[in-house]
């Protein structure tokens, strides 16, 4: 029974441990730091300005610090000792609350501290994507300019055929002049001249639009890099520039009418029909079909750009900031240390210290229990020795009493003889 009581006493938790004052100081510092970081983060996350907005920001920041301190303090002062005693559920609950509260605070504070920077990075990334897209569209439209010399050559050849037909009836084989064959070829040649002129004008417009797009892209980067203005003001102006770029891209897509050229290829391949002139019709269609195949071959070499037009990024949110976690790794590390690593480290050290202290006390109690049987045997042996000593003392006292009587009798006898002699002398 005594052994069990000492084991229970050895397992009792001491409320006074070494380093408790340092733990409390660190937890207070951590709570104050959390409150300050949360206040700064809420200022970036919560919309609005004015007294009411700052009251909300301050309240959330203070409550974040209070919750962080309270949870961490109870987890270390209550959860760690119980976990070290053997209550696994207490350890899981205390560590779980530290992780849950710390993760929530880390998510909000990291997002608030990096939100503006992430928004600016997203706008920069969009500017780079938009520049690549403009280059891709320009490359696609510039390919259409390869059809310009071809259609001009077709128009020149058809004009030559018309002149030849007027002079010497090259296709019809009859008398020259402006006959039905000549009139049919003139229509086809005029169509080629019109398409060539349209493509030439489109190429000039394309060059002008590309210059305008380059100016708008430069304006976009200039506004984005103006750090003297607020990001909200810059974002509003960037949206306007993006709308201008979008309009310029639409104009660029329509500058080179390749669809018109494709329709003309179909017309050349379909040929013409001259009434009552089958030979002339076949001769003219052979010429037109050859030009149609040439233009079709050039059109097939044109690559269609499959690049998707990037969309203007919306304002960054909390979840958007975690996509840039690696970019802001130092900030993430500092907030994680304050919100998670420090309270977990204090809990682990408290748990280790309490567990080691309890183990030492159990060992000391076991050593005392091993020493007690020997003391008990020694105490059991002491009454026997005391009894022997008492017996010896008793015998000695008895012997002393008996010897005294004999001596009394002897002295009485001797004393009586002496008294008789005195009487006789008298």
């Amino acid at each position: 029974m005594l052994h069990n009581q000492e084991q229970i006493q050895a397992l009792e938790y001491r409320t006074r441990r070494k380093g408790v004052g340092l733990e409390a100081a660190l937890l207070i510092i951590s709570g104050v730091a959390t409150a300050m970081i949360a206040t700064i983060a809420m200022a970036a996350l919560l919309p609005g300005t004015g007294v009411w907005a700052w009251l909300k920001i301050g309240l959330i920041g203070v409550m974040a610090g209070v919750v962080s301190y309270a949870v961490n303090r109870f987890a270390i002062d209550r959860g760690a000792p119980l976990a070290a005693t053997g209550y696994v559920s207490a350890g899981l609950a205390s560590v779980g609350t530290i992780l849950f509260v710390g993760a929530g605070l880390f998510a909000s504070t990291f997002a608030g501290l990096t939100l503006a920077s992430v928004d600016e990075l997203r706008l920069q990334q969009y500017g780079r994507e938009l520049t690549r897209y403009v280059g891709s569209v320009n490359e696609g439209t510039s390919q259409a300019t390869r059809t310009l010399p071809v259609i001009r050559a077709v128009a020149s050849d058809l004009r030559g055929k018309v002149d030849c037909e007027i002079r010497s009836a090259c296709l019809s084989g009859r008398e020259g002049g402006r006959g039905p064959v000549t009139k049919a070829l003139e229509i086809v040649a005029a169509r080629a001249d019109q398409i060539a002129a349209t493509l030439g004008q489109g190429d000039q417009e394309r060059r002008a639009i590309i210059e305008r797009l380059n100016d708008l892209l430069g304006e976009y980067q200039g506004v984005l890099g103006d750090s003297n203005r607020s990001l909200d003001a810059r974002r509003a102006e960037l949206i306007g520039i993006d709308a201008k770029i979008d309009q310029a891209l639409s104009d660029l897509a329509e500058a080179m009418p390749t669809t018109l050229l494709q329709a003309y290829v179909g017309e050349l391949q379909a040929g013409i029909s001259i009434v009552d002139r089958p030979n002339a019709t076949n001769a003219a269609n052979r010429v037109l079909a050859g030009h149609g195949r040439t233009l079709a071959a050039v059109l097939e070499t044109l690559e269609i750009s499959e690049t998707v037009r990037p969309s203007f990024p919306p304002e960054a949110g909390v979840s958007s900031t975690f996509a840039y976690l690696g970019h802001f790794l130092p900030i993430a590390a500092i907030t994680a240390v304050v919100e998670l690593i420090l309270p977990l480290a204090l809990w682990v050290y408290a748990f280790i210290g309490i567990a080691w202290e309890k183990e030492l006390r159990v060992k000391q109690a076991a050593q005392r229990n091993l020493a007690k049987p020997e003391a008990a045997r020694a105490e059991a042996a002491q009454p026997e020795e005391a009894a022997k000593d008492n017996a010896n003392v008793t015998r000695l006292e008895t012997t002393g009493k008996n010897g005294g009587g004999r001596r009394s009798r002897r002295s009485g006898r001797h004393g009586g003889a002496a008294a008789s002699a005195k009487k006789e002398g008298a």
Side-chain angles (χ1 to χ4, degrees):
M1 184 65 180
L2 184 61
H3 176 71
N4 293 335
Q5 290 179 352
E6 291 182 351
Q7 283 187 340
I8 292 173
Q9 292 177 356
L11 290 173
E12 287 179 352
Y13 165 61
R14 288 184 180 179
T15 56
R16 295 181 177 276
R17 293 181 292 109
K18 294 181 179 180
V20 173
L22 179 59
E23 289 177 3
L26 290 176
L27 289 175
I28 292 173
I29 294 173
S30 175
V32 173
T34 299
M36 296 174 63
I37 295 174
T39 302
I40 298 173
M42 289 303 108
L45 291 175
L46 294 179
T49 57
V51 178
W52 178 245
W54 282 108
L55 285 176
K56 292 190 294 184
I57 292 170
L59 179 61
I60 294 175
V62 171
M63 290 307 302
V66 171
V67 170
S68 175
Y69 173 77
V71 169
N72 296 335
R73 186 62 183 269
F74 274 91
I76 293 172
D77 286 353
R78 303 291 178 83
L82 293 174
T85 304
Y87 289 94
V88 179
S89 59
L92 294 176
S94 57
V95 173
T97 52
I98 291 176
L99 291 176
F100 183 80
V101 174
L105 291 173
F106 169 75
S108 60
T109 54
F110 173 75
L113 292 175
T114 60
L115 187 64
S117 300
V118 168
D119 198 8
E120 189 168 357
L121 286 175
R122 283 156 59 93
L123 292 173
Q124 291 176 358
Q125 183 178 359
Y126 172 72
R128 292 190 295 268
E129 293 176 355
L130 187 60
T131 301
R132 287 194 295 267
Y133 178 76
V134 169
S136 177
V137 173
N138 180 37
E139 183 180 356
T141 54
S142 63
Q143 291 180 4
T145 59
R146 290 183 294 183
T147 63
L148 184 57
V150 179
I151 191 62
R152 285 175 177 172
V154 170
S156 177
D157 182 72
L158 291 176
R159 284 295 177 188
K161 291 292 190 296
V162 169
D163 294 339
C164 182
E165 179 65 20
I166 293 173
R167 290 193 309 268
S168 59
C170 297
L171 296 177
S172 63
R174 296 185 179 184
E175 297 179 357
R178 295 180 60 85
V181 176
T182 303
K183 293 178 180 179
L185 289 177
E186 284 179 344
I187 295 174
V188 178
R191 177 75 168 156
D193 288 335
Q194 181 184 4
I195 294 174
T198 302
L199 290 177
Q201 184 179 358
D203 185 40
Q204 294 179 357
E205 292 179 359
R206 180 187 66 84
R207 296 174 185 274
I209 293 171
I210 289 298
E211 292 181 359
R212 185 173 53 166
L213 283 172
N214 290 331
D215 293 339
L216 289 173
L217 290 174
E219 185 179 355
Y220 181 97
Q221 295 297 334
V223 172
L224 183 59
D226 187 6
S227 58
N228 295 325
R229 301 169 58 191
S230 66
L231 186 60
D232 293 336
R234 286 182 285 167
R235 170 178 280 275
E237 188 171 352
L238 291 176
I239 292 175
I241 296 174
D242 183 69
K244 295 178 182 179
I245 292 175
D246 190 65
Q247 181 61 45
L249 288 172
S250 299
D251 296 339
L252 182 63
E254 297 175 358
M256 300 297 291
T258 56
T259 56
L260 181 63
L261 190 60
Q262 290 174 351
Y264 184 66
V265 169
E267 294 175 6
L268 292 176
Q269 292 176 348
I272 59 176
S273 178
I274 304 173
V275 181
D276 298 331
R277 305 292 295 274
N279 294 331
T281 299
N282 292 333
N285 286 339
R286 283 194 296 271
V287 173
L288 297 179
H291 290 313
R293 286 192 297 270
T294 301
L295 286 174
V298 175
L299 289 174
E300 288 178 356
T301 61
L302 302 181
E303 297 179 359
I304 300 175
S305 178
E306 297 181 354
T307 305
V308 180
R309 165 79 158 90
S311 56
F312 193 84
E315 292 186 8
V318 174
S319 59
S320 304
T321 58
F322 290 98
Y324 297 85
L325 186 64
H327 187 84
F328 297 101
L329 189 59
I331 298 177
I334 292 173
T335 53
V337 166
V338 175
E339 310 295 349
L340 285 171
I341 305 302
L342 178 60
L344 280 178
L346 293 177
W347 189 94
V348 170
Y349 292 141
F351 175 85
I352 293 173
I354 296 169
W356 175 244
E357 181 184 356
K358 293 178 182 298
E359 185 175 353
L360 289 179
R361 297 178 68 182
V362 170
K363 290 180 179 179
Q364 293 174 359
Q367 292 176 357
R368 288 196 298 269
N369 290 331
L370 291 175
K372 284 182 180 181
E374 297 180 359
R377 286 194 298 271
E379 291 179 358
Q382 288 178 0
E384 295 180 357
E385 295 178 357
K388 291 180 181 179
D389 294 338
N390 292 334
N392 293 333
V393 171
T394 303
R395 285 196 297 271
L396 289 174
E397 290 179 351
T398 305
T399 305
K401 290 177 181 179
N402 295 334
R406 286 195 296 271
R407 284 194 298 270
S408 298
R409 286 194 297 272
R410 289 192 187 111
S411 59
R413 286 198 298 268
H414 292 301
S420 299
K422 286 181 178 180
K423 288 179 179 179
E424 291 176 357

